[in-house]
Each structure stands twice: as structure tokens, then as C-alpha cells.
């Protein structure tokens, strides 16, 4: 039986090494914040479920609907970051705006929010703002200056 296994060798001597590197770079799409996609999705999931986790469904019905919709929007944004990063990382600033909105929403949307509701939304908003800034900084770094 013939030995068809190849020993490990250095790929730099391969005749198509430059083309393979370019193809690999295109496949990755320049994604250097791929680890942010998962936390953004989990943040959206928590935001959507937070009214039931923190138990303010009866006291803040408008905020329940608001957090559910915002959580779904954040989750969809995260899925977009994963599926089409080259097109979606431009929406990182929308993630920042959603974070700021989540911070002020208890007073704008809610009626006399208690401390638990305020802390919940401020933490969600701060995390969304921070993750959005990380994505926006990465997108700005990749965009060539004109």
C-alpha cells in the first residue's frame, strides 16, 4: 500500500501562496471583532426577556413592549453582523444610539420606574453602547481614508 500522507512542510514555498492568502483574507472579510457578535446577540436576547426576568411586566407594560422590540432589534443586528459583516458594521453607530436610548427609556417610556427597572435598562444600554463603539471603531479602522 502506498503512503499518500504528506509530511508537514512550510507553505511559503507553495507556488500559489499569495493567491491563497488573498482568498483567506476575502473569506474573513477583514473581521477583527467577530467575538463581539455573540455578546451582542446575547444582550439582545436578555433585553427581550428582561421584563420577565426582572419582573416588571405588571408595573411597566409600555416598557415591556419597548424592551421586547429593542431586544429583537439588537438580536437582529447581531445576526446581521455575523451574516454580512462588510455591510452591517456601518450600522454599529445605530447600536450606539440604541444603547443611549435604552439608558433613557425608563423615564421616557415608563411611568415612575423603580430602581430595578432603571438599573436593568442602564446596564443593557451601557453594554450596547460599549459593544457598538467596539464595532464602530473596527469599521472605522478598516475603512480607507478618502
Amino acid at each position: 500500500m502506498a503512503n499518500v500522507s504528506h509530511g508537514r512542510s512550510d507553505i511559503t514555498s507553495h507556488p500559489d501562496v499569495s493567491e491563497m492568502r488573498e482568498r483567506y483574507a476575502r473569506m474573513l472579510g477583514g473581521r477583527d471583532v467577530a467575538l463581539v457578535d455573540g455578546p451582542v446577540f446575547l444582550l439582545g436576547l436578555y433585553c427581550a426577556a428582561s421584563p420577565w426576568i426582572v419582573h416588571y411586566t405588571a408595573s411597566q407594560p409600555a416598557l415591556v413592549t419597548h424592551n421586547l422590540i429593542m431586544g429583537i432589534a439588537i438580536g437582529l443586528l447581531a445576526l446581521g453582523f455575523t451574516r454580512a459583516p462588510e455591510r452591517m458594521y456601518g450600522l454599529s453607530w445605530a447600536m450606539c444610539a440604541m444603547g443611549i436610548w435604552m439608558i433613557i427609556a425608563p423615564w421616557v417610556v415608563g411611568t415612575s420606574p423603580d430602581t430595578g427597572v432603571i438599573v436593568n435598562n442602564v446596564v443593557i444600554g451601557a453594554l450596547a453602547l460599549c459593544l457598538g463603539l467596539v464595532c464602530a471603531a473596527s469599521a472605522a479602522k478598516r475603512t480607507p481614508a478618502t
Side-chain angles (χ1 to χ4, degrees):
M1 181 162 261
N3 183 8
V4 291
S5 64
H6 302 285
R8 290 198 157 228
S9 63
D10 190 15
I11 195 165
T12 57
S13 63
H14 194 281
D16 295 329
V17 69
S18 61
E19 181 184 340
M20 290 176 1
R21 285 187 179 147
E22 289 173 17
R23 185 181 302 162
Y24 183 71
R26 277 193 318 266
M27 182 187 73
L28 286 180
R31 298 191 61 207
D32 50 353
V33 290
L35 294 176
V36 175
D37 300 348
V40 171
F41 182 75
L42 291 175
L43 181 67
L45 187 64
Y46 174 76
C47 181
S50 67
W52 293 274
I53 295 171
V54 182
H55 301 292
Y56 59 88
T57 54
S59 63
Q60 300 287 334
L63 208 52
V64 170
T65 306
H66 170 269
N67 279 18
L68 180 64
I69 292 169
M70 290 296 288
I72 291 169
I74 292 171
L76 288 175
L77 206 55
L79 290 175
F81 288 161
T82 302
R83 182 72 177 122
E86 63 280 351
R87 288 185 276 166
M88 291 296 291
Y89 275 130
L91 290 176
S92 302
W93 292 109
M95 179 84 169
C96 296
M98 291 167 72
I100 293 169
W101 174 250
M102 286 299 296
I103 291 171
I104 62 173
W107 295 281
V108 176
V109 178
T111 54
S112 307
D114 62 355
T115 306
V117 173
I118 293 170
V119 169
N120 181 60
N121 274 32
V122 167
V123 168
I124 291 171
L127 286 172
L129 179 62
C130 290
L131 291 170
L133 287 173
V134 168
C135 291
S138 172
K141 184 173 64 172
R142 277 187 313 171
T143 304
T146 56

